Amino acid sequence: MVFALGFVLFALGITLSIALHECGHMWTAQATGMKVRRYFIGFGPRIFSFRRGETEYGLKALPLGGFCDIAGMTALDELRPEELDRAMYRQATWKRLLVMSGGIAMNFVLGFILIVVLAVGWGLPNLTEPPATALGSMSCVPQQNPDGSTVPCTGTGPAQRAGLQRGDIVKEVNGVKVDTWKQFQAETQKQTGPFTYLIERDGRTVTIPVTPERVMRYPEDGGAGREVGAVGVAPDRYDPVQYNVLAAIPAAGAFTGDMFVRTVDSLAQMPAKVSSLWVAVTGGERDPETPVSVYGASKIGGETAERGYWNMFILVLASLNFFLGVFNLLPLLPLDGGHIAVVIYEKIRNTIRGWKGLAPGAPVNYLKLLPVTYVFVVIGGAYMLLTLAADIVNPIRLFP
């Protein structure tokens, strides 16, 4: 029940983000004297609509986005005589740039507000993760029941008794090099008696002998259990830092800057993730760094809500808004960045013509740009379908 609630809330959060993105376009267009004909959330058949002033507002059946219809967004639009002077393509460059960037700015503002809420309510995480094999909290080693539950235990565990410390970075397990936590865990579970960890501590390399405990572990699918070696240690995690309302503003600003850099980096890696997504769809292991669809993001939202991790819920929603903002900056039609690129091109072209004593040129002919637009739409649509397929058949699992 909680999962379903979280799934729906996250989907509504995405819908609200898209709605506010379109509001950013609408409000800036209205503020600069342009005519907004329609503002709709969703696509497909109309559920309802109403008119206020010169704008029709409404909701459509498919909550897959939204749109804001501004009169004369391009010179191809059909205009009524009374709309001609207010047509967007005939306005000053700064007005057109303001309107086209209004939606992008709205996503960044919404993401920033969510980060402020996170900073005050739960604290901001450190985006720089510890090394993959860094040791974190340590405890006794509980036995596991066939249903997945654990038997409470007391006292210290093998890792603590051996003198291991939080922050130790494991390089080798009994002579076998490990680079990931999964490798560390697998090699540790193989041990049946005393063995050694080669660790890095404060810039020094140290060999630590450890005696594991033998415990039962059962797979998630309910299969037969097996006895493995365990030392009672979890991967290291940086603790979040909580702020009061005043201190949260600059902290959220710095955090937003870091998120922006990471989002740009993730966007740059998207083409290289096609092969990883295909591997996931065809039965291979899902790379947790691959993109997710709206369905996949909502599923993650449901899982975080189910476990009470509302801080992660908010962080993922904020990340999505940063991604939407950065993605729309790409200078490709039909994205906002593509329209911005056209406006800037026209301004530079007309400035150069002015230097030569020539009149401003005609608006860019969008018909000539359609082939490139279609190519981008087809490639982008195929990528979205591949991502959705991966989220359905092999979703990212944040929790074991």
Side-chain angles (χ1 to χ4, degrees):
M1 181 65 182
V2 178
F3 171 83
L5 175 63
F7 186 98
V8 171
L9 285 177
F10 199 90
L12 289 175
I14 295 175
T15 302
L16 179 62
S17 299
I18 295 172
L20 289 175
H21 175 98
E22 296 302 325
C23 280
H25 293 310
M26 178 177 66
W27 291 335
T28 49
Q30 292 172 335
T32 52
M34 302 179 199
K35 180 178 179 179
V36 179
R37 297 162 170 161
R38 295 179 299 163
Y39 171 84
F40 272 80
I41 301 302
F43 296 101
R46 179 183 312 182
I47 296 178
F48 73 86
S49 68
F50 63 92
R51 181 170 294 277
R52 179 168 296 174
E54 61 186 11
T55 305
E56 181 185 11
Y57 302 86
L59 178 68
K60 296 201 171 188
L62 302 176
L64 301 176
F67 65 92
C68 173
D69 176 18
I70 304 171
M73 286 188 67
T74 75
L76 299 177
D77 286 1
E78 293 185 7
L79 296 170
R80 297 175 181 173
E82 66 272 15
E83 295 175 336
L84 189 60
D85 290 339
R86 299 174 65 191
M88 181 174 175
Y89 77 90
R90 302 186 66 182
Q91 305 304 308
T93 299
W94 72 267
K95 291 184 178 181
R96 296 169 67 190
L97 290 176
L98 180 65
V99 173
M100 295 315 305
S101 60
I104 297 171
M106 186 62 72
N107 284 127
F108 288 138
V109 169
L110 182 56
F112 176 77
I113 292 172
L114 289 170
I115 294 301
V116 171
V117 171
L118 181 66
V120 174
W122 293 270
L124 296 179
N126 192 323
L127 292 178
T128 304
E129 290 292 329
T133 56
L135 303 182
S137 60
M138 302 179 191
S139 66
C140 57
V141 179
Q143 290 283 348
Q144 189 179 39
N145 295 316
D147 63 1
S149 63
T150 56
V151 179
C153 64
T154 58
T156 58
Q160 294 166 300
R161 293 194 293 269
L164 290 166
Q165 301 174 11
R166 180 175 182 175
D168 287 346
I169 303 171
V170 179
K171 298 294 186 179
E172 295 180 3
V173 179
N174 214 31
V176 178
K177 184 179 179 181
V178 292
D179 297 310
T180 66
W181 187 261
K182 189 174 182 179
Q183 292 173 346
F184 162 82
Q185 194 174 43
E187 291 301 322
T188 298
Q189 290 182 345
K190 292 178 183 178
Q191 309 307 316
T192 58
F195 67 102
T196 60
Y197 284 136
L198 181 66
I199 67 166
E200 182 181 302
R201 177 187 295 172
D202 299 328
R204 298 179 296 110
T205 301
V206 184
T207 299
I208 305 289
V210 186
T211 302
E213 294 181 12
R214 302 295 293 178
V215 294
M216 292 299 295
R217 291 292 181 259
Y218 296 87
E220 292 183 17
D221 59 10
R226 62 190 181 97
E227 190 178 56
V228 301
V231 297
V233 66
D236 197 11
R237 293 287 184 270
Y238 293 140
D239 295 328
V241 179
Q242 199 165 1
Y243 300 87
N244 60 39
V245 176
L246 291 179
I249 303 299
F255 190 87
T256 297
D258 292 339
M259 289 283 290
F260 182 84
V261 172
R262 291 170 67 91
T263 302
V264 171
D265 183 60
S266 297
L267 188 61
Q269 295 180 29
M270 280 185 64
K273 296 296 183 181
V274 172
S275 59
S276 298
L277 286 168
W278 182 253
V279 168
V281 171
T282 54
E285 185 176 355
R286 179 72 183 268
D287 179 358
E289 298 298 322
T290 49
V292 294
S293 63
V294 171
Y295 168 80
S298 299
K299 186 173 183 297
I300 290 173
E303 291 174 350
T304 55
E306 186 176 36
R307 289 164 173 79
Y309 296 148
W310 291 102
N311 54 333
M312 189 178 296
F313 182 99
I314 292 174
L315 181 60
V316 174
L317 188 57
S319 301
L320 180 67
N321 273 277
F322 291 133
F323 178 81
L324 288 174
V326 173
F327 184 72
N328 269 287
L329 280 172
L330 292 176
L332 298 168
L333 291 170
L335 301 178
D336 296 336
H339 291 284
I340 291 172
V342 169
V343 174
I344 293 174
Y345 164 76
E346 289 182 348
K347 179 62 177 178
I348 294 173
R349 180 204 60 188
N350 290 339
T351 299
I352 294 174
R353 289 177 64 88
W355 292 342
K356 296 178 179 180
L358 302 174
V364 165
N365 186 348
Y366 274 76
L367 288 176
K368 294 182 178 180
L369 300 177
L370 283 180
V372 177
T373 302
Y374 289 148
V375 169
F376 176 73
V377 169
V378 170
I379 293 175
Y383 197 100
M384 291 174 61
L385 289 174
L386 180 62
T387 304
L388 176 61
D391 288 335
I392 294 173
V393 304
N394 195 354
I396 290 176
R397 302 185 185 278
L398 296 182
F399 310 99

